Amino acid sequence: MYRTALRNVLAHKGRLLMTVLAVMLGTAFVAGTLVFTDTLGNALRSQSAKSYTDIAVTISDRSAVDRGYDLSGGSTTDPTLTESTRKAVALLPGAAEARGVVTGFAGIADRKGALIGDGFSTTGTNYVPGADGTDPRYPLVDGRGPRGSGEVALDVKTADKGGYKVGDTVRVAVNGPVMELKLTGTLHTNDPRVVSGGSLAAFDTATAQQLYLSPGRFAEIDVKGRPGADDRALLTAVRQAVPQDDSIEVRTGRELADEQDRMIQEGTKGMSGVLLGFAAIALFVGIFIIANTFTMLVAQRTKELALLRAVGANRRQVTLSVLVEALLVGLTASVAGLLAGIGIATGLRSLLNGPMEANLPDGPLVVAPSTVLVSVAIGVLVTVLAAWLPALRASRIAPVAAMSSVEQPATQKSLRVRNTIGLLFAAAGVGGLLAGAAGKEGKLVGAGAGALLIGVFVLTPLLARPLIALFAPLLRRLYGTPGKLARENAVRNPRRTAATASALTIGVTLITALTVIGASVNKAVDEETENDTKADYTVAMQNSSMLSPEVATQVARTPGVSAMSVVRTVLVGTGAGDAAGTGDRDDREVVTSVDAATIDQLATITVKAGSADALKRGELLVGSGTADRLRLKPGDPLAFTYPDGTKGSLTVGGVLEAGTALAGLVAPDSVVGPHAAPGTGPQKVLVKGVNGADAKLKQALRDATGGNPLIAVKGEKDIKAENRQLVTAVLNIMYGLLGMSVVIAVLGVVNTMAMSVFERRREIGMLRAIGLDRRGIGRMVRLESLMIALFGGVVGVLLGIVTAWAGTRTMADTFKGITTVVPPVQILGFLVAAAVIGLLAALWPARRAARMDILGAIKSE
């Protein structure tokens, strides 16, 4: 039987080719994902380790780091790491050197004034020269390090992007005015933020302290150990020498490196999980192709299998022979897929580092033994499992079948069982979607969509005949006899048609659902932007940090501004134990403060309880969700402990409707602003123009803020375009990842049509003999493939729309008034694409059928 299995594989190489390709592509997706993420993780860890090679102990002041990046709203206390601390640590036994570090953000403008980098990875730091005048952290490429307040050094990639050379004047900014500094040198860095596409500006230590902290203060002190010194002993000594403060953290370089390794591992694990999810979809699509192929092979070999039973083979031997065939196919395809996956990982890294300029770190290609085992095991397992049902059917072929027709129709009992199972799954899926949509539970919607998809797959043979019959009148009218024959062939074996169409349905369902959800989110965000924001422009930092305090004044003085309001976020302590604010618990809440006199001109304030004029009376507005959580209603007092330590209380004057632009706790800036941390500015400034939004006002606002490349001036159109660009980018990534499953589905259509042509050789020969020409035969095959592909496309589009409808219902709390938007052009495009796929997939089978020898086909078994 094993020799028989091997002979069958070798005898049916052509018919198994598409199955091998389907398994190979799915396995290649898995292998490519594992190799790429392992390679990337290894390169990142190697790069990260270089940053800690000469660090024995690191002393960090979290409050100083936050203040340097200005992401927490500042601090009321000065950082505790000073020059005297650094000197004391440098004198400890086992310490060779103590380097004070200052960090923050720094935007670099190119020669056109645009920001280099993405805003979130624009890094600023201090250059600390050693005895030789260089900083070992940043090896110089050209020139020298900065020595005064008018100088700066840039990483070499940023200098190249900006077109700068040593001696040029560079425009640099943090959250205040733009500085024009002389470029003294270019340098290398291992900082992951910079290597991955960010920028680095290095100042002398005094300038960095002035920009980010205060003179003589550091955010971090890195201690280099003497040769042979014990890092743990040095760690103990350092802890005793530094100020005892809750914000101070002392760790060894090894601990920091290990933490970075864990973070990198978690990041690559998350990326791998997402990619493997799409690989699983591709493999799931492949299951339909594999099952279909082996079902057709078993049907074509009915007489052969029956004769094996007649000469003594038992059911177990027949089943094993089919499974051995699947094992050989799976093993061959998996090995090929593993090799292809390694090539995909190599190509992907080159693509990201080349045209896409992702700047991934260099490193050797990592092909772990686990990757080899997992990839091969998954490919073999999927192939064998998919072939199990066809193998089981093969074992049930009775010896007497050797004298009967090749076609073995399904029994009425099996059809009833199948349809019952399908209806149960479909009903459960619809129930899950409805319950998830009503309860706004995303997981329940996902489970319901999965159950509905399975139910429809099981019911597809039942749906195939009536749905494909809809095309019959059109096909007869346009194509005559070939069209009628194509329709009859498509519904002759509903199970086969269903399995072929289902592979395409999966991809179309997911793509349609993503497209509808994307269109729905875009419309909801656009409407929210139009309805909730009256401001013509928003002035804010591109990295979401705080603006410089003077920006609000600069904006207010800009010609053409009729109204403006700061939007400031402040972290306060609240006594919100009960509605009366008795202080049974001391929580911390974010308060958003705005200019009470003008905010109603710049944002829509809609209250469901209380008064919209509460801010003008010096009272508090509370978002509906926050009011429910803190059990607040109009008239209740809420006690605050401000960042400067002072205490106060505000009365709730109104509760805001859900989903409005203002949410949480909203207070007058005249009350909250004076208690914010010294030197911190607003999160953004809302602006309304005398003549509305025009290019003149936009440029005036840019000029008023000093042309800072980190400060963005955005109007309604800019915000809409930015949101759409984000959604489009996500959709494009999803489409790309789903592309593999669509390719595999195309292979399934090709495989089905090719094998169908093979088993209908005699029929095709008879059609040729009675007068149907080659052109008619080819058209018949192409139209059959077209109907199968359109059937899968239509079912997929319908399932995708239903799933997207339920999915958008779960977003009602996030996007106010979101509705399901079905973009007709894109949906029609998917159906046209399905039709094109069907026609292209039939090219080779149709050509083969048309060129078949008439006498040879009639004589075939």
Side-chain angles (χ1 to χ4, degrees), residues 97-101 126-130 133-138 203 205 218:
E97 178 187 348
R99 180 192 303 118
V101 178
N126 61 321
Y127 189 84
V128 187
T134 64
D135 189 332
R137 298 175 301 164
Y138 306 119
F203 310 96
T205 297
F218 298 106

Side-chain angles (χ1 to χ4, degrees), residues 111 142 154 159-160 162-170 181-186:
R111 294 190 179 276
D142 191 17
L154 301 179
D160 290 341
Y164 294 120
K165 297 180 180 179
V166 173
D168 289 346
T169 298
V170 180
L181 308 176
K182 179 181 178 181
L183 181 62
T184 63
T186 57

Side-chain angles (χ1 to χ4, degrees), residues 641-652:
T641 301
Y642 295 106
D644 62 0
T646 61
K647 296 183 181 294
S649 178
L650 286 177
T651 301
V652 176

